[in-house]
Amino acid sequence: MGLCDIHDIRAILGRHGFHFSKSLGQNFLTDPSVPAGIAEASGAAETRNVIEVGPGMGCLTAELCRRADKVVAVELDRALLPVLEETLAGFDNIEVVQGDVLALDLKALCREKFGDAPAAACANLPYYITTPAITALLESGAFTRITVMVQREVARRICAKPGTPDYSAFSIYVQYHAAAEILFDVPADCFVPQPKVDSAVLQLTPLAKPPVETRDEKLFFALVRAAFNMRRKTLVNALGPVLGSRIGKAEITALVESVGLDVRVRGERLSLADFAKLADAVCEKGA
Ligand code: SAM
């Protein structure tokens, strides 16, 4: 049985009366080199414990099971549970948990399943939860490595550098918490049903401490959000909505200048270090 073979996929799913759900982001891999490549890169062989999000019919799960001691796969769609029971019958190191990854306490799940041992996270993520799923995986603090397939443009956005069109508040959020790297691209014709967009495999390695120090993390991210909410405006104007009730435009201008930035700069050109300096200057001013 080939879990990426289109004829086997149709036969197994047909036998179980399964129909793909677009709203659950169900695009299954049909090129066996892709799940093998993701599993190899995931660190499953070293970490030994893996949480997978969205096993589908189990092609990536099987590759993870071949490399790890224990794989816990979280699948939302109950209709896939009997399918997975059949396709993963040959493995004794898999546990499928039915549930919504966004509603689970991932740290508690790891502690329950793996004790204090380190764990990796791995997924071909459903597109509709890409941002909240990556946020949940990072916020959990439960993983030493996170390897996920996402829409190619999202992967580019996450890894983008200051001043590039792809740079966004989410780039800064992820880069504050992890080292981010695109491992390889995966064209749309590697899936069934075929999505409209290409994908990429992204690896996040959570950092022991953020790459920049800031006195007030909440303020740091409030400034980042404000800057990108109005990315076409100058930083001084974009900061108005978040600081304007406390200090006037002249003072915002002085703050921006005090950290060595041009008063006409747009927020999209600022590095994480620039935002940290700015947040600290706002803190110092007591604004
Ligand atoms: N891993 C399989 C593969 O690579 O062929 C399937 C990947 S498919 C893109 C995404 C999977 O995530 C589907 O099985 C879908 O049912 C599941 N899923 C969707 N939303 C989910 C959620 N909130 N929590 C857990 N799984 C979810």
Side-chain angles (χ1 to χ4, degrees), residues 35-94:
I38 298 174
E40 194 57 32
S42 73
E46 297 86 44
T47 319
R48 316 303 315 162
N49 298 306
V50 184
I51 295 280
E52 188 197 359
V53 180
M57 58 179 287
C59 64
L60 175 57
T61 325
E63 293 295 343
L64 292 168
C65 285
R66 288 191 183 103
R67 291 165 174 82
D69 288 342
K70 187 166 181 184
V71 178
V72 174
V74 179
E75 175 56 60
L76 179 59
D77 190 351
R78 288 177 193 279
L80 284 167
L81 302 185
V83 176
L84 287 163
E85 214 163 289
E86 177 183 337
T87 57
L88 300 175
F91 297 99
D92 61 4
N93 58 343
I94 173 70

Side-chain angles (χ1 to χ4, degrees), residues 3-4 9 18 21 23-30 35 38 52-61 74-78 80 84 97 99-104 123-129 149 191-192:
L3 293 180
C4 285
I9 292 174
F18 176 85
S21 158
S23 65
L24 287 181
Q26 290 175 340
N27 304 96
F28 294 177
L29 281 162
T30 54
I38 298 174
E52 188 197 359
V53 180
M57 58 179 287
C59 64
L60 175 57
T61 325
V74 179
E75 175 56 60
L76 179 59
D77 190 351
R78 288 177 193 279
L80 284 167
L84 287 163
V97 172
D100 178 351
V101 70
L102 301 182
L104 284 175
N124 168 11
L125 281 177
Y127 293 148
Y128 80 106
I129 57 163
M149 180 144 60
F191 300 85
V192 64

Side-chain angles (χ1 to χ4, degrees), residues 237-281:
N237 285 332
L239 292 181
V242 69
L243 297 177
S245 62
R246 289 171 279 175
I247 55 173
K249 188 169 173 183
E251 281 171 295
I252 298 177
T253 307
L255 270 174
V256 167
E257 271 185 319
S258 75
V259 294
L261 294 168
D262 189 303
V263 292
R264 288 157 307 173
V265 77
R266 287 179 180 164
E268 64 190 10
R269 302 204 77 85
L270 270 63
S271 65
L272 274 75
D274 291 328
F275 276 110
K277 269 193 265 172
L278 188 62
D280 285 356

